[in-house]
Structure formats: structure tokens, C-alpha cells
Amino acid sequence: MCKQYGSTLIHTSTDFVFKGDKPVPLTEDDIAEPINVYGLTKLEGEKAVIESLEKYYTLRTSWLYSEYGNNFVKTMLKLGAERDELKIVADQVGTPTYAMDMAACILQIIFSNMTAYGTYHYSNEGVASWYDFAKAIFDISGTKVKTLPIKTSEYPTRAVRPAYSVMDKTKIKRAFNIEIPYWRDSLITCISKINLS
Ligand SMILES: NC(=O)c1ccc[n+]([C@@H]2O[C@H](COP(=O)([O-])OP(=O)(O)OC[C@H]3O[C@@H](n4cnc5c(N)ncnc54)[C@H](OP(=O)(O)O)[C@@H]3O)[C@@H](O)[C@H]2O)c1
């Protein structure tokens, strides 16, 4: 459709296209080597966009949440209210991203009227493990729940996940002059909206 109408496609992809076995922030030039089916299908989607179009922006993001729908923040708030104790994986590290911040970034790209097409990384600033993220959710919301850090091996899931998927955002910040909020500041904004609803 975009090709037919000459429109620009804005496509959302993921940090899970990376293997995530090195503790160095990932740039757009790093080789994508997904380790699970979700990452593989998202990478195939990225390639299909590149093969089909010249006018596209692929934005890879990570650990997306908002006051809408189901996501880690909503799940933790629910579990934290129901349980006395929660075990959270502490050896997977990435960056939470507030969907409202990403939406603002997408609008900024659209209204920039620029043609710097290509693949970009976008998440909030900073670094966290799922344990850090959960602790912050409980601290900010005032939820009293004992939180225990565990290893990935103690929380078996059917899909393997990258251990380190922090993304380098230099390219998008330079290209569109974008200021990215720190993840904890955006989490405070989101939780205040959840509390109001
Ligand atoms: N969640 C994360 O942590 C994360 C991290 C990195 C990247 N991403 C990427 O971010 C994007 C959104 O992820 P998400 O977690 O927000 O997913 P989600 O909660 O499953 O939401 C997907 C949204 O897409 C809509 N949708 C699905 N199929 C559609 C179709 N055929 N036509 C129109 N709308 C359709 C759904 O509509 P309904 O509500 O009507 O079903 C829903 O609103 C995805 O591309 C994902 O790969 C997510």
C-alpha cells in the first residue's frame, strides 16, 4: 500500500532481533542474530520492509509499556497487590520504554519532514534489569511487596531471551534532534496516569 501510494512506512521492531550476549549498547550497525522465534519473525519483517520500500523508518524499541493494554507495569501492579512476595529475573538487562515517549518521537519524525529513512533504535534512557524495573514500579506506586532477584535459569520459559539488550540511541537523537526521557521519570508519569484512571 505504501509503495502504491508513495507513502512513508513507520515500522516497529524490537531489541529482540539481537543475540544480546555482550554488555555493550547495541547500535544499528550491529549484526542482528535473533535467538527466539519472535525475534526471527521481527527481523524477517524488517527485511521485507527494506526489500519493498525506500521510504521507511524502522524503529527498534524495547520493554514497551503504557497505561493501556497489558504490559509488565500493569502485570506487576496487579501481582504486587495480590501477593506477599515476588521473584523477578535480575540477570536480563535492557531499557524500559514508555509508549507515549515513543509516540512523541514518531510524531517528531513525521513533522520533521526529513527523508533520513532507515533503521533506528529508540528506547528510554538508562539501563535496568527486570528486577530493577519491578522494584521501581513498586517504589513509585507505594506497593508493599517483598521482591526477590532470581536468575533466568530459576524462571524457565519456553522462549530464550537476550541477556543484554540495551540499545544505543545516538543515531536517532542526532538525526531528529530528539531528547529522550530517563526510564524512571517516564515510569512515574505512567503510574500517575494509571492511578488517575
Ligand atoms: N511489548 C514490548 O515489550 C515490545 C518490545 C519491543 C518491540 N515491540 C513491538 O512493538 C509493537 C507493539 O507491541 P505490543 O507489545 O504493544 O503489542 P500488542 O500489545 O500485542 O499490541 C498490538 C496492537 O496491534 C494491533 N494489531 C495486531 N494485529 C493487527 C492487524 N492485523 N491490524 C491492525 N491492528 C493490529 C492490536 O490490535 P487489538 O488490540 O485490536 O488486538 C494491538 O493494538 C510490535 O511491533 C512489537 O513487536 C514490543
Side-chain angles (χ1 to χ4, degrees):
M1 293 287 281
C2 284
K3 194 167 194 171
Q4 189 180 341
Y5 290 99
S7 307
T8 301
L9 179 72
I10 298 184
H11 176 65
T12 313
S13 191
T14 171
D15 55 333
F16 276 28
V17 297
F18 293 110
K19 195 172 178 183
D21 59 346
K22 285 193 291 287
V24 181
L26 293 146
T27 72
E28 292 79 355
D29 294 330
D30 282 315
I31 293 168
E33 277 180 286
I35 56 172
N36 62 31
V37 172
Y38 167 66
L40 191 65
T41 61
K42 293 296 292 186
L43 184 59
E44 283 172 0
E46 287 187 11
K47 286 178 182 165
V49 169
I50 292 169
E51 281 162 18
S52 316
L53 295 171
E54 281 169 21
K55 297 198 306 183
Y56 71 88
Y57 294 105
T58 290
L59 301 190
R60 292 181 182 143
T61 189
S62 60
W63 302 23
L64 211 50
Y65 69 91
S66 79
E67 54 271 38
Y68 302 108
N70 290 321
N71 54 66
F72 187 77
V73 174
K74 304 269 286 283
T75 303
M76 286 301 117
L77 289 174
K78 184 171 176 288
L79 291 178
E82 290 169 1
R83 303 208 191 148
D84 299 326
E85 185 181 290
L86 283 173
K87 293 178 180 165
I88 314 280
V89 170
D91 59 358
Q92 282 173 34
V93 175
T95 310
T97 305
Y98 183 32
M100 291 295 179
D101 293 336
M102 185 167 174
C105 166
I106 290 171
L107 287 175
Q108 201 168 327
I109 291 173
I110 292 169
F111 290 117
S112 75
N113 279 323
M114 286 173 61
T115 53
Y117 304 120
T119 300
Y120 291 88
H121 289 176
Y122 183 89
S123 68
N124 279 131
E125 292 287 18
V127 174
S129 67
W130 289 108
Y131 174 74
D132 297 321
F133 192 15
K135 281 287 281 181
I137 293 164
F138 298 138
D139 287 349
I140 294 163
S141 64
T143 306
K144 300 271 175 278
V145 57
K146 191 172 176 190
T147 318
L148 302 169
I150 58 165
K151 292 180 189 164
T152 298
S153 56
E154 293 171 84
Y155 184 72
T157 53
R158 290 175 73 181
V160 284
R161 288 169 170 77
Y164 183 92
S165 60
V166 177
M167 294 187 293
D168 185 311
K169 277 87 62 183
T170 307
K171 185 179 171 188
I172 200 163
K173 286 191 282 190
R174 285 206 182 133
F176 301 100
N177 199 19
I178 282 169
E179 274 186 39
I180 303 182
Y182 174 54
W183 70 267
R184 212 172 190 286
D185 294 338
S186 292
L187 182 60
I188 292 170
T189 306
C190 178
I191 288 177
S192 68
K193 289 189 181 170
I194 291 173
N195 285 342
L196 286 176
S197 60

Short mmCIF file of all heavy atoms in Angstrom, two decimals, residues 62-81 86 88 95-99 124 130 132-141 143 183-184 186-195:
data_model
loop_
_atom_site.label_atom_id
_atom_site.label_comp_id
_atom_site.label_asym_id
_atom_site.label_seq_id
_atom_site.Cartn_x
_atom_site.Cartn_y
_atom_site.Cartn_z
N SER A 62 12.20 -1.36 22.95
CA SER A 62 12.38 -2.45 23.93
C SER A 62 11.47 -2.24 25.15
O SER A 62 11.17 -1.11 25.52
CB SER A 62 13.83 -2.49 24.41
OG SER A 62 14.21 -1.27 25.01
N TRP A 63 11.02 -3.33 25.73
CA TRP A 63 10.33 -3.35 27.03
C TRP A 63 9.23 -2.27 27.08
O TRP A 63 9.17 -1.43 27.98
CB TRP A 63 11.32 -3.14 28.17
CG TRP A 63 12.43 -4.13 28.27
CD1 TRP A 63 12.93 -4.92 27.27
CD2 TRP A 63 13.21 -4.46 29.44
NE1 TRP A 63 13.96 -5.71 27.75
CE2 TRP A 63 14.14 -5.44 29.08
CE3 TRP A 63 13.20 -4.00 30.74
CZ2 TRP A 63 15.06 -5.97 29.98
CZ3 TRP A 63 14.11 -4.52 31.64
CH2 TRP A 63 15.03 -5.50 31.25
N LEU A 64 8.35 -2.33 26.12
CA LEU A 64 7.33 -1.30 25.92
C LEU A 64 6.20 -1.41 26.95
O LEU A 64 5.73 -2.51 27.23
CB LEU A 64 6.76 -1.50 24.52
CG LEU A 64 6.24 -0.36 23.68
CD1 LEU A 64 7.21 0.79 23.60
CD2 LEU A 64 5.93 -0.88 22.28
N TYR A 65 5.78 -0.28 27.49
CA TYR A 65 4.65 -0.30 28.44
C TYR A 65 3.90 1.02 28.34
O TYR A 65 4.43 2.02 27.82
CB TYR A 65 5.15 -0.51 29.89
CG TYR A 65 5.90 0.70 30.42
CD1 TYR A 65 5.24 1.72 31.09
CD2 TYR A 65 7.27 0.84 30.19
CE1 TYR A 65 5.92 2.84 31.54
CE2 TYR A 65 7.95 1.96 30.63
CZ TYR A 65 7.27 2.95 31.31
OH TYR A 65 7.94 4.06 31.73
N SER A 66 2.68 1.02 28.84
CA SER A 66 1.90 2.26 28.96
C SER A 66 0.74 1.99 29.90
O SER A 66 0.61 0.87 30.42
CB SER A 66 1.36 2.71 27.59
OG SER A 66 0.22 1.96 27.25
N GLU A 67 -0.10 2.99 30.08
CA GLU A 67 -1.29 2.79 30.92
C GLU A 67 -2.35 1.97 30.19
O GLU A 67 -3.33 1.56 30.79
CB GLU A 67 -1.86 4.15 31.37
CG GLU A 67 -2.17 5.15 30.29
CD GLU A 67 -0.97 6.05 29.95
OE1 GLU A 67 0.17 5.57 29.94
OE2 GLU A 67 -1.21 7.23 29.65
N TYR A 68 -2.16 1.73 28.89
CA TYR A 68 -3.14 0.97 28.10
C TYR A 68 -2.71 -0.48 27.93
O TYR A 68 -1.51 -0.80 27.96
CB TYR A 68 -3.30 1.61 26.71
CG TYR A 68 -3.74 3.05 26.77
CD1 TYR A 68 -2.85 4.07 26.46
CD2 TYR A 68 -5.03 3.39 27.17
CE1 TYR A 68 -3.23 5.40 26.54
CE2 TYR A 68 -5.42 4.72 27.25
CZ TYR A 68 -4.52 5.72 26.93
OH TYR A 68 -4.91 7.02 27.02
N GLY A 69 -3.67 -1.36 27.69
CA GLY A 69 -3.38 -2.75 27.33
C GLY A 69 -2.69 -3.52 28.45
O GLY A 69 -2.67 -3.09 29.61
N ASN A 70 -2.14 -4.66 28.09
CA ASN A 70 -1.41 -5.49 29.06
C ASN A 70 0.08 -5.30 28.86
O ASN A 70 0.55 -5.32 27.73
CB ASN A 70 -1.76 -6.97 28.87
CG ASN A 70 -3.17 -7.25 29.30
OD1 ASN A 70 -3.64 -6.70 30.30
ND2 ASN A 70 -3.87 -8.08 28.54
N ASN A 71 0.79 -5.13 29.93
CA ASN A 71 2.23 -4.99 29.83
C ASN A 71 2.83 -5.24 31.22
O ASN A 71 2.11 -5.45 32.19
CB ASN A 71 2.62 -3.61 29.28
CG ASN A 71 1.99 -2.48 30.09
OD1 ASN A 71 2.33 -2.30 31.26
ND2 ASN A 71 1.06 -1.75 29.48
N PHE A 72 4.17 -5.22 31.30
CA PHE A 72 4.88 -5.58 32.54
C PHE A 72 4.44 -4.70 33.72
O PHE A 72 4.25 -5.20 34.83
CB PHE A 72 6.39 -5.45 32.30
CG PHE A 72 7.24 -5.96 33.43
CD1 PHE A 72 7.43 -7.32 33.63
CD2 PHE A 72 7.86 -5.08 34.30
CE1 PHE A 72 8.22 -7.80 34.67
CE2 PHE A 72 8.67 -5.54 35.34
CZ PHE A 72 8.83 -6.89 35.53
N VAL A 73 4.27 -3.41 33.48
CA VAL A 73 3.90 -2.49 34.58
C VAL A 73 2.53 -2.88 35.13
O VAL A 73 2.36 -3.03 36.35
CB VAL A 73 3.90 -1.02 34.09
CG1 VAL A 73 3.39 -0.09 35.18
CG2 VAL A 73 5.31 -0.61 33.65
N LYS A 74 1.56 -3.09 34.25
CA LYS A 74 0.21 -3.45 34.69
C LYS A 74 0.22 -4.80 35.41
O LYS A 74 -0.45 -4.98 36.41
CB LYS A 74 -0.75 -3.49 33.48
CG LYS A 74 -0.79 -2.19 32.66
CD LYS A 74 -1.83 -1.19 33.09
CE LYS A 74 -3.25 -1.48 32.76
NZ LYS A 74 -3.64 -1.25 31.38
N THR A 75 1.00 -5.74 34.88
CA THR A 75 1.08 -7.08 35.49
C THR A 75 1.68 -6.99 36.89
O THR A 75 1.18 -7.59 37.84
CB THR A 75 1.93 -8.04 34.61
OG1 THR A 75 1.34 -8.08 33.32
CG2 THR A 75 1.98 -9.44 35.20
N MET A 76 2.77 -6.22 37.03
CA MET A 76 3.42 -6.10 38.34
C MET A 76 2.49 -5.42 39.35
O MET A 76 2.43 -5.82 40.51
CB MET A 76 4.73 -5.31 38.23
CG MET A 76 5.86 -6.07 37.61
SD MET A 76 6.27 -7.57 38.53
CE MET A 76 5.89 -8.82 37.33
N LEU A 77 1.78 -4.39 38.92
CA LEU A 77 0.86 -3.70 39.84
C LEU A 77 -0.23 -4.66 40.33
O LEU A 77 -0.59 -4.67 41.50
CB LEU A 77 0.23 -2.48 39.16
CG LEU A 77 1.17 -1.30 38.91
CD1 LEU A 77 0.48 -0.21 38.09
CD2 LEU A 77 1.69 -0.71 40.23
N LYS A 78 -0.70 -5.52 39.40
CA LYS A 78 -1.74 -6.50 39.76
C LYS A 78 -1.17 -7.55 40.72
O LYS A 78 -1.73 -7.79 41.79
CB LYS A 78 -2.25 -7.16 38.47
CG LYS A 78 -3.40 -8.11 38.65
CD LYS A 78 -3.94 -8.53 37.28
CE LYS A 78 -5.04 -9.58 37.42
NZ LYS A 78 -4.52 -10.90 37.82
N LEU A 79 -0.02 -8.14 40.36
CA LEU A 79 0.58 -9.19 41.19
C LEU A 79 1.01 -8.63 42.55
O LEU A 79 0.88 -9.29 43.58
CB LEU A 79 1.77 -9.83 40.48
CG LEU A 79 1.45 -10.68 39.25
CD1 LEU A 79 2.73 -11.21 38.62
CD2 LEU A 79 0.52 -11.84 39.59
N GLY A 80 1.56 -7.41 42.53
CA GLY A 80 2.03 -6.79 43.77
C GLY A 80 0.90 -6.57 44.77
O GLY A 80 1.10 -6.62 45.98
N ALA A 81 -0.30 -6.33 44.23
CA ALA A 81 -1.46 -6.13 45.12
C ALA A 81 -1.99 -7.46 45.65
O ALA A 81 -2.64 -7.49 46.70
CB ALA A 81 -2.56 -5.39 44.34
N LEU A 86 7.39 -11.63 45.47
CA LEU A 86 7.52 -11.89 44.02
C LEU A 86 8.98 -12.13 43.68
O LEU A 86 9.86 -11.42 44.19
CB LEU A 86 7.02 -10.69 43.22
CG LEU A 86 5.51 -10.51 43.09
CD1 LEU A 86 5.21 -9.18 42.42
CD2 LEU A 86 4.89 -11.65 42.28
N ILE A 88 11.74 -12.01 40.72
CA ILE A 88 11.87 -11.33 39.42
C ILE A 88 13.28 -11.55 38.87
O ILE A 88 14.27 -11.40 39.61
CB ILE A 88 11.63 -9.80 39.54
CG1 ILE A 88 10.39 -9.49 40.39
CG2 ILE A 88 11.56 -9.16 38.17
CD1 ILE A 88 9.07 -9.60 39.73
N THR A 95 16.25 -1.73 28.56
CA THR A 95 15.72 -0.42 28.93
C THR A 95 14.21 -0.39 28.72
O THR A 95 13.74 -0.63 27.61
CB THR A 95 16.35 0.71 28.10
OG1 THR A 95 17.76 0.58 28.13
CG2 THR A 95 15.98 2.06 28.67
N PRO A 96 13.44 -0.10 29.78
CA PRO A 96 12.00 0.08 29.61
C PRO A 96 11.73 1.29 28.71
O PRO A 96 12.50 2.25 28.69
CB PRO A 96 11.51 0.36 31.04
CG PRO A 96 12.59 -0.15 31.94
CD PRO A 96 13.87 0.05 31.18
N THR A 97 10.61 1.22 27.99
CA THR A 97 10.24 2.32 27.09
C THR A 97 8.76 2.64 27.29
O THR A 97 7.90 1.77 27.10
CB THR A 97 10.48 1.95 25.61
OG1 THR A 97 11.84 1.55 25.47
CG2 THR A 97 10.18 3.12 24.69
N TYR A 98 8.48 3.90 27.63
CA TYR A 98 7.09 4.34 27.78
C TYR A 98 6.54 4.62 26.38
O TYR A 98 7.10 5.43 25.62
CB TYR A 98 7.08 5.59 28.65
CG TYR A 98 5.72 6.16 28.98
CD1 TYR A 98 4.60 5.34 29.12
CD2 TYR A 98 5.57 7.52 29.19
CE1 TYR A 98 3.36 5.87 29.45
CE2 TYR A 98 4.33 8.06 29.52
CZ TYR A 98 3.23 7.23 29.65
OH TYR A 98 2.00 7.75 29.96
N ALA A 99 5.45 3.96 26.04
CA ALA A 99 4.91 4.05 24.68
C ALA A 99 4.58 5.50 24.28
O ALA A 99 4.70 5.87 23.11
CB ALA A 99 3.67 3.16 24.54
N ASN A 124 13.71 4.38 26.12
CA ASN A 124 14.03 5.43 27.08
C ASN A 124 15.52 5.36 27.39
O ASN A 124 16.21 4.43 26.99
CB ASN A 124 13.17 5.29 28.35
CG ASN A 124 11.78 5.90 28.16
OD1 ASN A 124 10.78 5.27 28.46
ND2 ASN A 124 11.70 7.12 27.65
N TRP A 130 14.98 -6.62 34.82
CA TRP A 130 13.54 -6.75 35.10
C TRP A 130 13.30 -6.55 36.60
O TRP A 130 12.28 -6.00 37.01
CB TRP A 130 13.02 -8.12 34.65
CG TRP A 130 12.97 -8.26 33.16
CD1 TRP A 130 13.79 -9.01 32.37
CD2 TRP A 130 12.06 -7.59 32.27
NE1 TRP A 130 13.45 -8.85 31.04
CE2 TRP A 130 12.39 -8.00 30.95
CE3 TRP A 130 11.00 -6.70 32.44
CZ2 TRP A 130 11.70 -7.55 29.83
CZ3 TRP A 130 10.31 -6.25 31.31
CH2 TRP A 130 10.66 -6.67 30.04
N ASP A 132 15.10 -4.54 38.63
CA ASP A 132 15.15 -3.09 38.87
C ASP A 132 13.83 -2.43 38.45
O ASP A 132 13.32 -1.53 39.14
CB ASP A 132 16.28 -2.43 38.08
CG ASP A 132 17.65 -2.92 38.48
OD1 ASP A 132 17.88 -3.13 39.69
OD2 ASP A 132 18.51 -3.12 37.59
N PHE A 133 13.33 -2.87 37.29
CA PHE A 133 12.10 -2.30 36.74
C PHE A 133 10.94 -2.57 37.72
O PHE A 133 10.19 -1.66 38.09
CB PHE A 133 11.85 -2.95 35.37
CG PHE A 133 10.78 -2.32 34.52
CD1 PHE A 133 10.27 -1.06 34.78
CD2 PHE A 133 10.30 -3.01 33.39
CE1 PHE A 133 9.29 -0.49 33.96
CE2 PHE A 133 9.33 -2.45 32.58
CZ PHE A 133 8.82 -1.20 32.87
N ALA A 134 10.84 -3.81 38.18
CA ALA A 134 9.75 -4.18 39.11
C ALA A 134 9.89 -3.40 40.42
O ALA A 134 8.90 -2.87 40.95
CB ALA A 134 9.78 -5.68 39.37
N LYS A 135 11.12 -3.31 40.95
CA LYS A 135 11.35 -2.56 42.20
C LYS A 135 10.87 -1.12 42.05
O LYS A 135 10.24 -0.56 42.95
CB LYS A 135 12.83 -2.57 42.58
CG LYS A 135 13.32 -3.84 43.21
CD LYS A 135 12.83 -4.03 44.63
CE LYS A 135 13.60 -3.21 45.64
NZ LYS A 135 13.06 -3.47 47.01
N ALA A 136 11.22 -0.50 40.91
CA ALA A 136 10.83 0.89 40.67
C ALA A 136 9.31 1.01 40.60
O ALA A 136 8.72 1.95 41.14
CB ALA A 136 11.47 1.41 39.37
N ILE A 137 8.65 0.04 39.96
CA ILE A 137 7.18 0.06 39.86
C ILE A 137 6.57 0.03 41.27
O ILE A 137 5.66 0.80 41.59
CB ILE A 137 6.67 -1.15 39.02
CG1 ILE A 137 7.12 -1.01 37.57
CG2 ILE A 137 5.14 -1.29 39.11
CD1 ILE A 137 7.01 -2.29 36.75
N PHE A 138 7.13 -0.83 42.14
CA PHE A 138 6.58 -0.94 43.50
C PHE A 138 6.90 0.30 44.33
O PHE A 138 6.06 0.78 45.09
CB PHE A 138 7.09 -2.23 44.17
CG PHE A 138 6.65 -3.47 43.45
CD1 PHE A 138 7.52 -4.54 43.25
CD2 PHE A 138 5.36 -3.58 42.95
CE1 PHE A 138 7.10 -5.67 42.56
CE2 PHE A 138 4.94 -4.72 42.26
CZ PHE A 138 5.82 -5.76 42.07
N ASP A 139 8.12 0.82 44.20
CA ASP A 139 8.51 2.02 44.95
C ASP A 139 7.59 3.20 44.57
O ASP A 139 7.05 3.88 45.43
CB ASP A 139 9.96 2.42 44.64
CG ASP A 139 10.96 1.47 45.29
OD1 ASP A 139 10.53 0.65 46.12
OD2 ASP A 139 12.15 1.52 44.93
N ILE A 140 7.46 3.42 43.26
CA ILE A 140 6.71 4.59 42.77
C ILE A 140 5.23 4.48 43.11
O ILE A 140 4.58 5.46 43.48
CB ILE A 140 6.93 4.77 41.24
CG1 ILE A 140 8.40 5.12 40.96
CG2 ILE A 140 5.99 5.81 40.65
CD1 ILE A 140 8.84 4.92 39.52
N SER A 141 4.69 3.25 43.02
CA SER A 141 3.24 3.08 43.27
C SER A 141 2.93 2.89 44.75
O SER A 141 1.76 2.83 45.13
CB SER A 141 2.72 1.88 42.47
OG SER A 141 3.34 0.69 42.93
N THR A 143 3.54 0.19 46.47
CA THR A 143 3.08 -1.19 46.68
C THR A 143 4.05 -1.90 47.63
O THR A 143 5.26 -1.92 47.38
CB THR A 143 3.04 -1.96 45.33
OG1 THR A 143 2.26 -1.21 44.41
CG2 THR A 143 2.47 -3.35 45.49
N TRP A 183 14.24 6.41 31.88
CA TRP A 183 13.13 5.45 32.02
C TRP A 183 12.35 5.62 33.32
O TRP A 183 11.13 5.49 33.35
CB TRP A 183 13.62 4.01 31.85
CG TRP A 183 14.48 3.46 32.95
CD1 TRP A 183 15.84 3.47 32.99
CD2 TRP A 183 14.05 2.80 34.16
NE1 TRP A 183 16.29 2.87 34.15
CE2 TRP A 183 15.20 2.44 34.88
CE3 TRP A 183 12.80 2.48 34.69
CZ2 TRP A 183 15.15 1.79 36.11
CZ3 TRP A 183 12.74 1.82 35.93
CH2 TRP A 183 13.91 1.49 36.61
N ARG A 184 13.02 5.95 34.44
CA ARG A 184 12.33 6.03 35.73
C ARG A 184 11.40 7.26 35.77
O ARG A 184 10.31 7.19 36.32
CB ARG A 184 13.36 6.10 36.86
CG ARG A 184 12.88 5.45 38.14
CD ARG A 184 14.00 5.38 39.17
NE ARG A 184 13.64 4.57 40.31
CZ ARG A 184 12.81 4.92 41.27
NH1 ARG A 184 12.24 6.11 41.25
NH2 ARG A 184 12.52 4.10 42.26
N SER A 186 9.83 8.53 33.19
CA SER A 186 8.64 8.20 32.40
C SER A 186 7.75 7.21 33.13
O SER A 186 6.52 7.25 33.00
CB SER A 186 9.06 7.63 31.04
OG SER A 186 9.67 8.66 30.30
N LEU A 187 8.36 6.32 33.91
CA LEU A 187 7.57 5.36 34.69
C LEU A 187 6.70 6.10 35.72
O LEU A 187 5.53 5.75 35.94
CB LEU A 187 8.51 4.36 35.38
CG LEU A 187 7.84 3.27 36.20
CD1 LEU A 187 6.92 2.40 35.35
CD2 LEU A 187 8.91 2.38 36.88
N ILE A 188 7.26 7.15 36.32
CA ILE A 188 6.50 7.96 37.28
C ILE A 188 5.27 8.57 36.57
O ILE A 188 4.15 8.52 37.08
CB ILE A 188 7.39 9.06 37.90
CG1 ILE A 188 8.45 8.43 38.80
CG2 ILE A 188 6.56 10.08 38.68
CD1 ILE A 188 9.55 9.37 39.29
N THR A 189 5.49 9.10 35.37
CA THR A 189 4.37 9.69 34.59
C THR A 189 3.30 8.64 34.32
O THR A 189 2.10 8.88 34.52
CB THR A 189 4.90 10.24 33.24
OG1 THR A 189 5.97 11.12 33.50
CG2 THR A 189 3.81 10.92 32.45
N CYS A 190 3.72 7.46 33.88
CA CYS A 190 2.76 6.41 33.52
C CYS A 190 1.96 5.96 34.75
O CYS A 190 0.73 5.85 34.69
CB CYS A 190 3.49 5.22 32.90
SG CYS A 190 2.39 3.86 32.47
N ILE A 191 2.66 5.73 35.86
CA ILE A 191 1.96 5.23 37.06
C ILE A 191 0.99 6.28 37.60
O ILE A 191 -0.10 5.96 38.05
CB ILE A 191 2.98 4.74 38.12
CG1 ILE A 191 3.61 3.44 37.63
CG2 ILE A 191 2.31 4.54 39.49
CD1 ILE A 191 4.69 2.85 38.52
N SER A 192 1.35 7.56 37.46
CA SER A 192 0.41 8.60 37.92
C SER A 192 -0.85 8.57 37.05
O SER A 192 -1.96 8.80 37.54
CB SER A 192 1.07 9.98 37.91
OG SER A 192 1.33 10.37 36.59
N LYS A 193 -0.72 8.25 35.78
CA LYS A 193 -1.91 8.16 34.90
C LYS A 193 -2.74 6.93 35.24
O LYS A 193 -3.97 6.97 35.20
CB LYS A 193 -1.49 8.13 33.44
CG LYS A 193 -0.96 9.47 32.97
CD LYS A 193 -0.73 9.51 31.49
CE LYS A 193 -0.17 10.86 31.08
NZ LYS A 193 0.29 10.89 29.70
N ILE A 194 -2.07 5.83 35.57
CA ILE A 194 -2.80 4.61 35.95
C ILE A 194 -3.58 4.88 37.25
O ILE A 194 -4.73 4.48 37.38
CB ILE A 194 -1.84 3.41 36.13
CG1 ILE A 194 -1.26 3.00 34.77
CG2 ILE A 194 -2.54 2.21 36.78
CD1 ILE A 194 -0.17 1.95 34.82
N ASN A 195 -2.95 5.58 38.19
CA ASN A 195 -3.62 5.88 39.46
C ASN A 195 -4.84 6.76 39.28
O ASN A 195 -5.79 6.69 40.03
CB ASN A 195 -2.63 6.56 40.43
CG ASN A 195 -1.64 5.54 40.99
OD1 ASN A 195 -1.87 4.34 40.93
ND2 ASN A 195 -0.54 6.03 41.54
#
